[in-house]
Amino acid sequence: MQLLFLGTLALFVGVTVAVPAQEKRVHHKPDLSDHAHDDAHGFQYDHEAFLGKEEAKTFDQLSPEESKERLGKIVDKIDTDKDGFISHAELHHWIKHRQRRYIEENVDKHWKEYDQNKDGKIGWIEYKNTTYGYYMDVEFDDVDDKASYKAMLNRDERRFKSADRDGDGVATREEFTAFLHPEEFDYMRHIVIQETIEDIDKNGDGKIDLQEYIGDMFTPENGENEPDWVTTEKKHFSEFRDMNKDGFLDANEVSHWILPGEVDHADNEARHLIHETDKDNDGRLSISEIMDRMDFIKVSTITDFGTLVEDHDEL
């Protein structure tokens, strides 16, 4: 049995080892592409935005005929209302889906493990028994830190109930996704904020002071000198994070810190693709318009060879 510590937000993306540890708490949407968005020097940004960064690397070997065939299949998947055109809303949804692929793969990984009765839903009891069942039989007596495991259970239950929007005690796939990745759902923001404060607030006063803020990302060892970035973070705390200048971060200030508002790059990219491809300016794309702009879309890089060959639905 695998015990998951779902109380932590370890699945934030866009973080590298060079970034201070506290930045792992800050949730940014994954970039659509590692390339600059500059059509004058190529369309790789658009390729990766359409397909996804990893998949786009592997699809340069298709012939034009294979590309057109597979592009047709992709267009059919994007055209959810089956009217023969791709609207801005459909293209926006598609790009966001590609952007969220890593989340879907993580949910897929755990779904079968927790849906014990195979009814297409996961009840809190199913999740609790699968994750904590063995330990609960002995009231956590077999673990070294009983209090921590009980706290994990209570935290998971609180998060599950928040994700369970209709309060029926079972999670649909969407609700289970919100449970595993609360940072991705607006209605779960309060849980992300609450859990962050609980993690950092060592004295239990419900807010974060400068010492707790720095302590979450840096603890000096053996006379270690304070890195320059810690000095910078102290300045950020007082000048930017602590907006009301009371010396603490409250829930609202933590929200601005870890869940910053961002430009919707998927929306911008959908508009850009339509602008560059929509020849009759009707605000939507036909299959002929897409095929006519193969130089721009470069279909060999937006065709998911592996999944389409097997006719999977992941796309």
Side-chain angles (χ1 to χ4, degrees):
M1 187 201 69
Q2 181 183 21
L3 181 63
L4 298 178
F5 192 173
L6 294 172
T8 61
L9 297 178
L11 293 171
F12 289 139
V13 297
V15 177
T16 66
V17 294
V19 177
Q22 66 65 238
E23 287 301 331
K24 294 178 182 178
R25 296 190 181 279
V26 183
H27 177 67
H28 294 284
K29 297 294 182 184
D31 294 330
L32 297 180
S33 172
D34 294 326
H35 296 269
H37 197 184
D38 184 359
D39 290 347
H41 295 88
F43 307 123
Q44 193 62 32
Y45 181 99
D46 303 295
H47 308 159
E48 294 186 358
F50 193 98
L51 179 64
K53 288 186 284 188
E54 292 303 316
E55 291 85 347
K57 297 175 183 177
T58 63
F59 304 125
D60 292 322
Q61 307 304 317
L62 299 175
S63 69
E65 292 76 17
E66 289 175 321
S67 297
K68 288 183 179 180
E69 179 183 357
R70 289 182 171 84
L71 178 62
K73 293 181 180 180
I74 289 178
V75 170
D76 186 61
K77 288 179 179 289
I78 301 173
D79 179 21
T80 55
D81 64 6
K82 306 305 177 186
D83 66 350
F85 297 91
I86 295 178
S87 67
H88 167 265
E90 289 170 331
L91 188 54
H92 182 210
H93 177 78
W94 168 264
I95 294 173
K96 287 184 75 69
H97 170 66
R98 304 308 298 164
Q99 194 178 28
R100 282 186 48 165
R101 185 71 175 268
Y102 82 101
I103 293 177
E104 297 299 329
E105 290 173 350
N106 180 258
V107 174
D108 287 341
K109 177 181 177 182
H110 297 299
W111 185 261
K112 291 181 180 178
E113 178 181 1
Y114 291 110
D115 183 13
Q116 296 291 302
N117 62 5
K118 310 303 179 186
D119 65 348
K121 296 182 179 181
I122 295 174
W124 165 245
I125 299 301
E126 286 180 299
Y127 175 81
K128 181 176 66 172
N129 289 343
T130 302
T131 305
Y132 297 97
Y134 170 77
Y135 297 96
M136 292 179 65
D137 288 341
V138 292
E139 296 184 350
F140 296 97
D141 287 337
D142 284 359
V143 296
D144 293 334
D145 191 349
K146 183 191 305 185
S148 292
Y149 278 88
K150 287 185 176 180
M152 288 163 58
L153 171 61
N154 292 334
R155 184 154 153 160
D156 276 354
E157 183 173 13
R158 181 181 65 195
R159 188 193 284 196
F160 192 97
K161 288 180 177 178
S162 294
D164 178 20
R165 302 190 77 171
D166 58 9
D168 64 354
V170 296
T172 63
R173 186 178 180 85
E174 184 76 1
E175 290 170 335
F176 190 63
T177 302
F179 171 64
L180 291 176
H181 299 273
E183 71 279 1
E184 294 290 327
F185 294 80
D186 287 341
Y187 79 96
M188 295 290 286
R189 287 176 66 94
H190 69 290
I191 286 293
V192 178
I193 295 165
Q194 184 175 5
E195 291 181 359
T196 300
I197 293 175
E198 289 173 351
D199 287 341
I200 303 175
D201 174 27
K202 302 305 181 185
N203 62 13
D205 64 355
K207 49 191 178 181
I208 300 170
D209 60 31
L210 177 59
Q211 183 177 354
E212 291 167 334
Y213 176 82
I214 296 299
D216 181 56
M217 55 180 155
F218 175 73
T219 302
E221 297 181 0
N222 300 324
E224 178 184 4
N225 292 327
E226 183 177 277
D228 291 341
W229 63 261
V230 173
T231 303
T232 300
E233 281 300 329
K234 289 181 177 179
K235 184 176 181 181
H236 286 172
F237 180 94
S238 60
E239 295 186 2
F240 305 112
R241 311 269 191 246
D242 180 17
M243 294 183 293
N244 62 7
K245 309 305 178 187
D246 67 349
F248 302 92
L249 302 187
D250 58 24
N252 180 59
E253 291 164 332
V254 169
S255 176
H256 282 282
W257 165 36
I258 65 170
L259 296 168
E262 295 182 280
V263 174
D264 188 342
H265 296 292
D267 179 69
N268 288 344
E269 177 62 12
R271 294 180 187 280
H272 173 69
L273 288 171
I274 290 176
H275 175 75
E276 295 294 334
T277 312
D278 179 22
K279 293 177 63 176
D280 60 9
N281 296 316
D282 66 350
R284 57 186 185 173
L285 303 181
S286 65
I287 185 64
S288 62
E289 287 174 326
I290 293 172
M291 293 302 180
D292 286 345
R293 286 305 315 270
M294 286 182 64
D295 61 323
F296 173 68
I297 297 177
K298 194 180 179 184
V299 295
S300 64
T301 65
I302 64 172
T303 306
D304 193 331
F305 180 84
T307 53
L308 283 179
V309 164
E310 299 176 10
D311 198 28
H312 286 175
D313 294 328
E314 285 91 349
L315 290 176

